[in-house]
Amino acid sequence: MEFILFNRALASGVRIRFGTTIQSIKEEENGLQVVFNDGTMSAFQLLFGADGVHSNVRELIFGPESQFARYLGYYVAAFHTPNHDYCIGRSLEIYEEPGRIAWFYPLDANCMDAVYIFRHDNVGYLPHEKRLAFVQEQFDGADWIAEDTLKKRFPPQSPFISMPWSKLSCRTGIKGELRFLEMRVDVLH
C-alpha cells in the first residue's frame, strides 16, 4: 500500500520530503507557512499530521501531548522466548487472574511470544534496565508458566517492551481558520 501511494503521489506531482520534520507551523491569510528542521519553508493549503501517535504536528498546533493523554491503568510487556518444555501446543494459551493476564503464543516448535498485561498505578518513565524487574514483581506468585517465563526462561538478549497504556482524547473544532479533527487513539508509550 505504501509503495502504491508513494508512486501515485509522485505521478501527481506531489513533492515528498525525506529526513525532515516540521519545526513550526504558522497560520496565514491564504494557508499555512511551514518551517522544516533543515531551514526550508513552504506554504500549504492543507496539512495532514500523519506522523504517528506521538505527533509533532499535533503538539505544534495544540500543545503538549500530556494535556490529551489519559493513563488507562495498565502496563504491557512483550518478548520472544524459547519454548523449551512448556508444551503449549499450537494455539494461544492464556493465564488470567484479577489485575493481571499473560498470553503465550507459539511462533514455531522452538520459540513463542509472551505478552504480559497488568494493572498498576502509573510509575512514569522506567529505564530499560528496570523494566524486567518491574514486570517480574507484578507476576510474583503467578501460577502455570507466567512467573517461570519471566524469572527462569527470559533470554537476556530479548528485546523487552514495558509500556503504560494511555488514550489520547478526541477533539474537533476550529482554531482560527485551521479546522481540525483529532482522533482518539490507544497508545502504548
Side-chain angles (χ1 to χ4, degrees):
M1 178 64 112
E2 182 180 339
F3 180 74
I4 292 168
L5 292 173
F6 176 76
N7 285 325
R8 287 193 178 169
L10 286 179
S12 300
V14 174
R15 181 175 174 214
I16 298 174
R17 299 172 186 252
F18 291 100
T20 60
T21 58
I22 296 175
Q23 186 174 349
S24 67
I25 302 167
K26 182 180 177 190
E27 188 174 356
E28 296 186 341
E29 189 174 316
N30 294 324
L32 299 169
Q33 184 72 28
V34 175
V35 178
F36 294 92
N37 65 334
D38 64 2
T40 60
M41 295 189 303
S42 292
F44 299 97
Q45 295 295 314
L46 289 172
L47 176 65
F48 293 91
D51 55 339
V53 294
H54 304 293
S55 172
N56 180 51
V57 172
R58 179 183 55 241
E59 185 166 325
L60 288 170
I61 294 172
F62 304 115
E65 178 181 295
S66 60
Q67 67 182 324
F68 305 109
R70 182 173 61 92
Y71 176 62
L72 295 178
Y74 288 89
Y75 278 81
V76 177
F79 56 90
H80 298 313
T81 185
N83 197 354
H84 297 293
D85 55 356
Y86 290 139
C87 301
I88 64 169
R90 294 176 44 192
S91 61
L92 175 70
E93 296 289 333
I94 300 174
Y95 170 82
E96 181 178 13
E97 60 182 61
R100 60 186 184 180
I101 188 170
W103 301 343
F104 304 95
Y105 184 78
L107 299 174
D108 58 35
N110 301 314
C111 186
M112 68 179 181
D113 272 342
V115 178
Y116 292 80
I117 302 172
F118 55 94
R119 183 181 310 223
H120 197 284
D121 291 336
N122 191 351
V123 297
Y125 174 76
L126 273 177
H128 185 77
E129 64 276 3
K130 294 185 178 190
R131 294 178 183 182
L132 176 58
F134 177 63
V135 177
Q136 286 173 332
E137 181 181 306
Q138 307 316 307
F139 281 85
D140 275 348
D143 290 330
W144 191 47
I145 65 173
E147 182 180 27
D148 185 61
T149 301
L150 285 168
K151 295 210 174 183
K152 299 177 188 166
R153 310 286 184 173
F154 185 81
Q157 74 281 6
S158 282
F160 187 80
I161 303 166
S162 174
M163 303 169 281
W165 200 338
S166 300
K167 183 170 289 234
L168 297 177
S169 62
C170 180
R171 301 185 333 156
T172 59
I174 299 174
K175 184 175 181 177
E177 287 298 312
L178 179 63
R179 285 158 182 78
F180 64 89
L181 167 65
E182 186 174 292
M183 304 291 284
R184 181 179 306 159
V185 180
D186 284 344
V187 180
L188 297 175
H189 297 275

